[in-house]
């Protein structure tokens, strides 16, 4: 009864079990049955009651009572540690908890109860350290924790290779657990081995070091023998490989105490540094041979790099000799090999080995980022890092994804880009006050900001990191900006498109927080926003009607995004224009002109080409002035480029609709600069045709008609028409009806020439149809436009966006022999056409397509015969365009 009761209370961890075991011993001494031993056949465990068994239970309870008396209560934790340490190490010395470590010996723990007490001691010390010990106790507790771990580790270390080979899997796993605990201690300890009391901890480290070295040797021998039977992945998963890696890591952690700090007067010697470096190299080769140098997220290599960097600093402190140069080369090579195995870095200057299962790890923390960047920096190409280096810079970027919050508050770039109160006219003149945004460095010198929470090394890294990645990827120059939106139509219209834009611009914004005077960053950021604006407008023009754009929630959201992209692009360009070097100024002015001219256009999805057009408000007038100003500046910087006077003519058409001489002079100048390009030639005669159609809609006897006719007659297509108009307009009482008819015929012939040069040049086809319709020739207009809707299957769209291609062969003029050089004037028949002009945007194509469809419906509906009516019925869906 007492035996079973003791076992029950023992199971309940109750102290009453001692009382029942004592009574059981007394009753057993009085009994003589079975020679003082009783067998309980129904018990599966402890079925034999004997004096030896009872004594063992009582001894165990005594040990447990001692441990229980030193119970782990928070209020008496220091006392508990002292009592537990007294049980394991004997009475403490005068230092209290920090007893004489130099007298402690690394003796294996043989008693099971002592082993449990040691584990409890280690847990108690770890708990005390995690709670935060006092400044005086912290180092002592860390040393005590090391002693407990060392005793536990030594208890499981094999004494010979035979013992290691015969160790059971359970024992190897327990050894592995204690090795990992010792490695964790070395990583988190504030006082690493070798940096503490020279008379205390280092002797214990020196005593443990040979045991670890032998363990590495035995693991290596065993794994080398089995290598031919296992793949590298399988080896890594085995317990023996794990023990090998942890033991090698612990040896690396003990290197400074074991070898490095043995010089005179506490200074390292060159022999000690060389031995430590060769030890690291040997351990690395051993692990690499088994494909395990990056085991456990590169734990060994990360610790080895810390030791190697300490060695490199120690070498710099030695007296310069020939040995120092050799040691520095050895340490640098090991650092390069470690970085290659960890992150795959290969600078191409060292003879490094390619180890299996290595090179794909992430950077652990910001300190590793600083070390990695410091190593990469000398090998980076100043004109842009290589692709392999960009991958490593991207790894660093994960730890520096945004500038410090203090810098973001100081330089409010987002506020500058979106502030509705910013005077852009003053910004264009360089007179805007950017101090509220922290961007005064743009217009003058400014002091570097002081960031208390950022180290100088971290600031220097971030000042270069973002731009290095931008340079290396060079997405703007390679036209790979917003690839996801370019190759997924409609994506820019979704929230995912907004995220793509934010991700694409983040690097530029981060760099500008550190370098607000970098011209290229402002310039390329404007290009990214401009591409986002173009993609959004082009996709919306194809997918969203004017009604949806104005009345739906999605239209309101897209309209806000569109206005934001356009505003940010314009403001970035204004800053870039101020910072631009002379060689880049014309390019920036060209983009500024295009950006502001875009705001003047009547294109979808904002306008439907029927009932709405851009309002001529203050913003419209400012954009028109900007476009004129910057196209003029660009033309003065690059006088041989035809596109600048070409766009000046287009802006003048909108800004000065009655100043025909100004508009025509710009178009004539563009033709002089590009006499073999179709676009400026068409634009001149298209303007002449539009002016005629505008005045034809009014009374032909209005007073300004003579001045208009004289302006239009100054650039005729046919010399005969020019001569005829000079005679008629020079008469005392000119016949304006005949003059108008001659001008109309001349414009029609010019537009016919465009179609003969390129039959798919649909702008000329549309305008020519308008002229026929205005003249009353509806059938001819319908036949011209029918070409745009014919396909092999019947009705279809036979239209494409205009592309800036060159003809395979120069197309000679089809209207007679070329005239002599001295007789030719801009606007007349070109000798040849070898190029179309510029690319056309999708939104412009959609706008022109709507105009053509509407005009075709009008022509077929008004046709005298009934042939056009079926076509009109098939085009009833175009009513949605209104």
């Amino acid at each position: 009864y007492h035996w079973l009761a003791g076992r029950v209370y023992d199971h309940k961890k109750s102290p009453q079990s001692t009382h029942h075991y004592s009574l059981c011993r007394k009753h057993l001494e009085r009994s003589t049955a079975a020679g003082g031993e009783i067998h309980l056949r129904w018990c599966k465990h402890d079925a034999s009651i004997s004096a030896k068994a009872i004594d063992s239970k009582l001894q165990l309870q005594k040990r447990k009572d001692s441990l229980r008396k030193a119970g782990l209560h928070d209020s008496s934790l220091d006392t508990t540690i002292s009592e537990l340490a007294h049980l394991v190490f004997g009475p403490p010395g005068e230092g209290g908890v920090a007893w004489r470590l130099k007298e402690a010996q690394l003796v294996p723990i043989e008693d099971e109860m002592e082993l449990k007490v040691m584990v409890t001691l280690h847990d108690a010390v770890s708990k005390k350290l995690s709670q935060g010990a006092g400044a005086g106790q912290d180092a002592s507790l860390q040393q005590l924790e090391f002693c407990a771990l060392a005793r536990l580790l030594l208890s499981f270390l094999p004494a010979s290779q035979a013992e290691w080979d015969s160790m059971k899997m359970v024992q190897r796993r327990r050894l592995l657990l204690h090795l990992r605990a010792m490695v964790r201690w070395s990583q988190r300890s504030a006082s690493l081995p070798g940096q503490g009391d020279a008379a205390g901890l280092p002797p214990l480290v020196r005593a443990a070091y040979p045991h670890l070295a032998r363990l590495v040797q035995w693991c290596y021998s065993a794994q080398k023998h089995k290598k031919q039977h296992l793949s590298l992945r399988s080896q890594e998963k085995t317990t023996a490989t794990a023990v090998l890696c942890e033991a090698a890591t612990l040896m690396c952690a003990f290197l400074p105490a074991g070898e490095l700090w043995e010089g005179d007067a506490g200074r390292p010697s060159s022999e000690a540094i060389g031995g430590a470096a060769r030890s690291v190299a040997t351990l690395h080769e051993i692990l690499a041979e088994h494909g395990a140098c990056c085991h456990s997220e590169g734990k060994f290599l990360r610790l080895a790099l810390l030791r190697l960097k300490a060695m490199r600093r120690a070498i710099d402190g030695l007296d310069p000799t020939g040995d120092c140069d050799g040691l520095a080369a050895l340490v640098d090579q090991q650092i390069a090999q470690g970085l290659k195995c960890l992150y795959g870095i290969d600078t191409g200057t060292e003879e490094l080995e390619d180890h299996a299962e290595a090179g794909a790890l992430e950077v652990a923390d910001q300190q590793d980022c600083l070390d990695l960047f410091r190593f990469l920096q000398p090998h980076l190409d100043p004109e842009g890092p290589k692709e392999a280096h960009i991958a490593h810079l991207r790894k660093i970027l994960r730890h520096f994804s945004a500038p410090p919050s203090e810098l973001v508050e100081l330089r409010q770039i987002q506020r500058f880009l979106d502030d509705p109160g910013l005077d852009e006219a003053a910004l264009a003149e360089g007179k805007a006050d950017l101090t509220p945004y922290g961007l005064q460095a743009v217009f003058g010198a400014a002091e570097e900001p002081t960031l208390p929470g950022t180290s100088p090394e971290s600031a220097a890294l971030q000042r270069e990191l973002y731009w290095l990645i931008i340079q290396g990827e060079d997405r703007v120059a390679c036209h790979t900006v917003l690839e996801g939106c370019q190759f997924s139509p409609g994506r820019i219209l979704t929230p995912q498109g907004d995220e793509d834009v934010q991700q694409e611009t983040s690097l530029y914004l981060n760099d500008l927080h550190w370098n607000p005077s970098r011209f290229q960053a402002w310039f390329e950021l404007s290009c990214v926003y401009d591409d986002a604006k173009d993609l959004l407008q082009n996709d919306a023009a194809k997918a969203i009607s004017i009604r949806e754009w104005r009345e739906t929630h999605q239209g309101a959201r897209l309209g806000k995004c569109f206005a934001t992209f356009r505003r940010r692009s314009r403001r970035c360009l204004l800053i870039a224009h101020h910072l631009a070097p002379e060689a880049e100024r014309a390019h920036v002015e060209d983009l500024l002109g295009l950006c502001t001219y875009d705001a003047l256009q009547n294109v979808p999805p904002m306008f439907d080409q029927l009932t709405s057009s851009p309002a001529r408000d203050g913003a419209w007038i400012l954009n028109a002035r900007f476009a004129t100003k910057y196209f003029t500046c660009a033309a003065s910087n690059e006088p041989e480029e035809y596109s600048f006077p070409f766009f000046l003519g287009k802006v003048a058409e909108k800004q000065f609709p009655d100043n025909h001489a100004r508009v025509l002079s710009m178009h004539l100048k563009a033709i002089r600069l590009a006499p073999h390009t179709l676009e400026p030639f068409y634009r001149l005669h298209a303007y002449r045709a539009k002016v005629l159609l505008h005045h034809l809609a009014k009374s032909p006897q209005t007073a300004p008609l003579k001045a208009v006719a004289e302006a239009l007659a100054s650039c005729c297509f046919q010399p005969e028409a020019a001569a005829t108009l000079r005679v008629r307009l020079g008469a005392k009482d000119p016949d304006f009806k005949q003059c108008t008819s001659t001008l109309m015929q001349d414009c029609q012939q010019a537009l016919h020439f465009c179609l003969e040069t390129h039959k798919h040049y649909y702008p000329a086809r549309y305008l020519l149809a308008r002229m026929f319709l205005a003249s009353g020739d509806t059938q001819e207009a319908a036949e011209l436009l029918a070409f745009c809707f014919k396909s092999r299957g019947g009705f279809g769209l036979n239209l494409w966006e205009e592309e800036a291609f060159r003809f395979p062969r120069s197309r000679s003029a089809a209207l007679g022999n070329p005239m002599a050089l001295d007789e030719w004037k801009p606007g007349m028949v070109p000798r040849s056409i070898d190029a179309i002009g510029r690319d056309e945007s999708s939104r412009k194509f959609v706008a022109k397509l709507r105009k053509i469809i509407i005009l075709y419906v009008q022509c077929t509906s008004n046709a005298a015969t009934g042939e056009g009516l079926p076509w009109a019925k098939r085009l009833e869906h175009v009513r949605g365009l209104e």
Side-chain angles (χ1 to χ4, degrees):
Y1 167 78
H2 290 294
W3 172 258
L4 295 177
R7 289 184 60 198
V8 171
Y9 284 115
D10 195 10
H11 180 71
K12 294 180 179 180
K13 299 181 180 179
S14 172
Q16 296 185 25
S17 59
T18 304
H19 171 69
H20 286 282
Y21 285 138
S22 298
L23 292 177
C24 181
R25 176 62 184 269
K26 291 180 181 179
H27 287 292
L28 186 65
E29 289 175 351
R30 299 194 196 103
S31 174
T32 58
E37 185 174 355
I38 301 175
H39 293 280
L40 305 177
R41 293 189 299 273
W42 59 86
C43 290
K44 186 175 181 180
H45 301 286
D46 293 336
S48 178
I49 305 175
S50 63
K52 183 177 180 181
I54 296 174
D55 290 341
S56 176
K57 293 289 186 182
L58 288 172
Q59 184 68 19
L60 181 60
Q61 288 305 314
K62 184 178 180 181
R63 296 271 186 169
K64 288 183 179 181
D65 290 341
S66 299
L67 182 59
R68 196 177 294 115
K69 289 178 182 178
L72 299 178
H73 301 295
D74 293 339
S75 60
S76 60
L77 192 57
D78 291 338
T79 304
T80 300
I81 293 174
S82 243
E83 293 178 357
L84 291 172
H86 177 79
L87 289 173
V88 179
F89 294 107
E94 297 178 357
V97 175
W99 39 82
R100 299 180 299 277
L101 294 175
K102 62 182 179 180
E103 298 179 359
Q105 300 295 324
L106 281 179
V107 180
I109 302 174
E110 298 179 354
D111 184 74
E112 182 180 356
M113 189 61 205
E114 185 180 3
L115 180 62
K116 294 181 180 180
V117 174
M118 186 68 77
V119 172
T120 307
L121 171 63
H122 172 249
D123 294 341
V125 173
S126 300
K127 184 177 181 180
K128 179 67 175 177
L129 287 171
S130 64
Q131 292 176 351
Q137 293 183 346
D138 193 43
S140 299
L141 288 175
Q142 288 179 359
Q143 292 177 347
L144 177 59
E145 184 184 17
F146 172 77
C147 291
L149 284 171
R151 290 288 303 277
L152 288 169
L153 177 60
L154 192 61
S155 302
F156 293 96
L157 283 175
S160 64
Q161 184 169 0
E163 184 178 343
W164 162 252
D165 294 338
S166 61
M167 281 184 71
K168 296 181 179 179
M169 186 57 65
V170 175
Q171 294 174 316
R172 291 191 177 188
R173 287 175 179 169
R174 295 183 71 176
L175 172 61
L176 178 61
L177 289 176
H178 291 299
L179 281 169
R180 286 175 175 167
M182 182 70 84
V183 171
R184 284 195 300 271
W185 176 87
S186 67
Q187 290 175 333
R188 71 171 184 268
S189 177
S191 177
L192 291 174
Q195 298 177 356
D197 181 12
L201 206 52
L204 287 178
V205 174
R206 290 190 181 94
Y209 200 83
H211 294 280
L212 293 172
R214 287 194 294 270
L215 179 61
V216 169
Q217 181 182 0
W218 298 333
C219 293
Y220 172 72
S221 300
Q223 290 299 98
K224 188 175 181 181
H225 178 70
K226 296 179 181 179
K227 179 181 176 183
Q228 56 184 344
H229 304 295
L230 295 174
S231 67
L232 291 177
R233 283 290 185 187
S234 300
Q235 290 181 58
E236 183 177 335
K237 294 178 181 179
T238 61
T239 305
T241 301
V243 170
L244 172 63
C245 296
E246 298 295 339
T249 304
L250 196 54
M251 282 186 69
C252 189
F254 288 164
L255 270 177
E259 299 182 29
L260 198 56
W261 310 109
E262 292 184 351
D264 298 333
R267 295 181 60 189
S269 64
S270 58
E271 292 81 4
I273 295 175
R278 286 188 289 274
S279 297
V280 171
T282 302
L283 290 172
H284 191 176
E285 290 176 3
I286 289 174
L287 294 178
E289 189 171 342
H290 299 289
C293 62
C294 291
H295 185 268
S296 299
E297 297 298 320
K299 185 191 302 183
F300 166 78
L301 287 177
R302 296 184 196 277
L303 186 58
L305 286 174
L306 290 176
R307 296 295 183 262
L308 289 168
K309 291 167 189 173
M311 296 176 202
R312 193 65 179 84
R313 291 191 296 269
I315 292 172
D316 294 338
L318 295 176
D319 297 331
T321 61
D323 293 339
C324 291
D325 294 339
L327 283 177
L330 174 62
V331 173
D332 289 343
Q333 184 179 8
Q334 290 305 312
I335 291 175
Q337 183 67 61
L339 289 172
K340 180 176 183 180
C341 289
L342 272 177
Y343 311 120
I345 298 177
D346 190 356
T347 61
T349 57
E350 300 91 357
E351 295 181 358
L352 305 179
E353 299 179 4
D354 294 322
H355 293 161
E357 308 295 332
L361 296 181
E362 297 295 329
V363 185
D365 51 33
Q366 290 192 358
Q367 184 58 47
D368 282 354
C369 290
L370 293 174
D371 295 336
L372 178 57
F373 185 74
R374 195 179 299 115
F375 178 79
L376 273 176
Q377 204 167 14
H379 307 285
L380 296 176
D381 188 347
E383 297 182 359
K386 299 178 182 178
E387 185 177 353
H389 294 161
I390 294 174
H392 305 307
L393 293 175
R394 280 283 181 182
K395 291 180 180 180
I396 297 175
L397 180 64
R398 295 188 182 98
H399 295 271
F400 295 97
S401 57
S405 57
E406 305 97 317
L407 187 62
V408 175
E409 293 176 3
L410 178 65
R411 289 175 176 158
Q412 301 179 25
I413 296 178
Q414 291 284 6
R415 181 188 165 201
F416 161 75
L417 294 174
D418 297 329
D419 188 359
L422 179 66
D423 186 355
E424 292 191 11
L427 181 63
E429 298 296 331
K431 299 178 181 179
D433 182 15
L434 300 183
T435 305
Y437 313 106
L439 296 175
Q440 58 271 25
V442 173
F443 292 147
E447 297 180 358
E448 288 293 330
T450 302
L451 305 175
T454 305
S455 65
E457 295 82 5
S458 178
L461 181 149
Q462 294 182 69
R463 193 171 286 110
E464 297 184 37
L465 174 64
Y466 308 114
W467 188 246
L468 283 171
I469 296 175
I470 293 171
Q471 275 186 306
E473 295 179 344
D474 203 14
R475 296 170 64 83
V476 171
C478 298
H479 305 287
T480 56
V481 174
L482 299 171
E483 282 184 301
C485 296
Q486 287 186 36
F487 300 111
S488 298
R491 180 180 174 88
I492 191 67
L493 307 178
T494 65
Q496 289 78 13
D498 296 343
E499 295 175 4
D500 291 346
V501 176
Q502 291 177 9
Q503 183 178 359
E504 199 74 47
T505 58
S506 61
L507 282 176
Y508 293 98
L509 293 171
N510 292 348
D511 180 70
L512 288 173
H513 278 95
W514 289 101
N515 306 285
S517 299
R518 196 192 297 276
F519 154 73
Q520 199 67 26
W522 286 107
F523 178 73
E524 293 193 9
L525 179 60
S526 72
C527 294
V528 174
Y529 280 128
D530 190 65
D531 287 349
K533 182 261 300 178
D534 286 344
L535 284 169
L536 188 150
Q537 192 174 10
N538 290 339
D539 285 3
K542 299 173 184 176
I544 298 178
S545 67
I546 179 66
R547 185 176 302 169
E548 291 174 322
W549 182 268
R550 293 180 176 178
E551 299 178 4
T552 64
H553 173 72
Q554 183 191 19
R557 182 184 68 82
L558 293 177
K560 183 178 179 181
C561 290
F562 175 77
T564 299
F565 296 156
R566 172 181 280 173
R567 178 182 61 252
R568 291 181 178 180
S569 176
R570 183 174 63 249
R571 292 185 179 181
C572 289
L573 279 173
L574 289 172
I575 295 290
H577 182 255
H578 179 79
L579 298 172
E582 195 64 31
E584 298 287 344
R585 190 170 296 274
H587 191 195
V588 177
E589 290 167 346
D590 180 22
L591 292 181
L592 260 171
L594 290 172
C595 178
T596 50
Y597 171 75
D598 181 69
L600 309 178
Q601 296 193 83
N602 180 7
V603 292
M606 290 75 70
F607 309 105
D608 58 1
Q609 293 75 56
L610 288 174
T611 59
S612 61
S613 60
R616 292 178 174 252
D617 53 9
W620 190 96
I621 295 173
L622 180 63
N623 282 315
R625 289 176 181 173
F626 275 171
T628 302
K629 172 185 175 180
Y630 290 113
F631 279 134
T632 303
C633 294
S636 64
N637 288 326
E638 293 186 7
E640 301 301 322
E641 175 58 44
Y642 89 91
S643 63
F644 302 138
F646 174 80
F647 276 107
L648 281 171
K650 295 181 73 172
V651 174
E653 290 181 31
K654 300 177 183 295
Q655 192 176 10
F656 309 106
D658 297 326
N659 193 343
H660 306 299
R662 177 172 182 171
V663 176
L664 291 170
S665 66
M666 290 294 104
H667 288 317
L668 289 172
K669 185 176 181 180
I671 294 176
R672 289 191 189 98
L673 294 174
H676 304 295
T677 303
L678 183 63
E679 187 177 35
F681 173 83
Y682 161 76
R683 192 67 197 181
L684 170 69
H685 294 290
Y687 176 71
R688 295 174 68 223
K690 290 178 182 178
V691 172
L692 286 172
L693 291 173
H694 174 72
H695 283 277
L696 197 63
K698 300 180 180 180
S699 173
Q701 301 298 328
T702 52
L705 188 57
K706 181 177 181 180
V708 173
E710 289 177 347
L712 299 182
S714 64
C715 44
C716 285
F717 174 68
Q718 288 289 358
E720 296 82 0
T724 302
L725 287 169
R726 277 195 300 269
V727 172
R728 290 177 177 175
L729 292 173
K732 185 176 181 179
D733 188 13
D735 187 344
F736 291 107
K737 186 174 182 180
Q738 289 183 352
C739 292
T740 302
S741 176
T742 303
L743 286 170
M744 289 283 285
Q745 291 177 5
D746 185 72
C747 290
Q748 289 175 1
Q749 288 180 345
L751 295 175
H752 267 298
F753 170 77
C754 294
L755 291 179
E756 290 175 1
T757 302
H758 184 47
K759 66 178 181 180
H760 290 289
Y761 196 66
Y762 66 88
R765 187 176 297 276
Y766 165 76
L767 191 53
L768 189 58
R770 278 188 61 190
M771 298 187 73
F772 281 131
L773 188 63
S775 302
D777 194 348
T778 306
Q779 189 67 33
E780 184 70 21
E783 290 179 1
L784 267 175
L785 295 179
F787 175 82
C788 300
F789 304 101
K790 291 180 180 179
S791 66
R792 293 180 180 178
F795 179 80
L797 289 179
N798 190 22
L799 296 167
W800 295 273
E801 294 181 16
E802 298 173 34
E803 296 181 351
F805 66 84
R806 299 183 67 86
F807 294 111
R809 290 182 298 175
S810 180
R811 302 199 174 188
S812 301
L815 301 179
N817 296 325
M819 293 174 294
L821 182 62
D822 54 353
E823 298 178 3
W824 182 84
K825 294 180 180 180
M828 292 185 178
V829 183
R831 287 178 178 76
S832 62
I833 296 292
D834 55 17
I836 293 293
R838 303 168 303 108
D839 285 334
E840 182 183 42
S841 64
S842 296
R843 56 186 178 275
K844 197 70 175 177
F845 172 73
V846 172
K848 292 180 179 178
L849 177 61
R850 289 179 174 182
K851 291 180 179 180
I852 291 176
I853 292 176
I854 293 170
L855 185 62
Y856 187 47
V857 171
Q858 183 180 358
C859 292
T860 53
S861 299
N862 296 338
T865 63
E867 297 176 0
L869 295 179
W871 292 99
K873 290 181 179 179
R874 298 182 67 176
L875 293 171
E876 288 181 352
H877 64 280
V878 302
R879 293 177 181 174
L881 298 173
E882 301 179 4

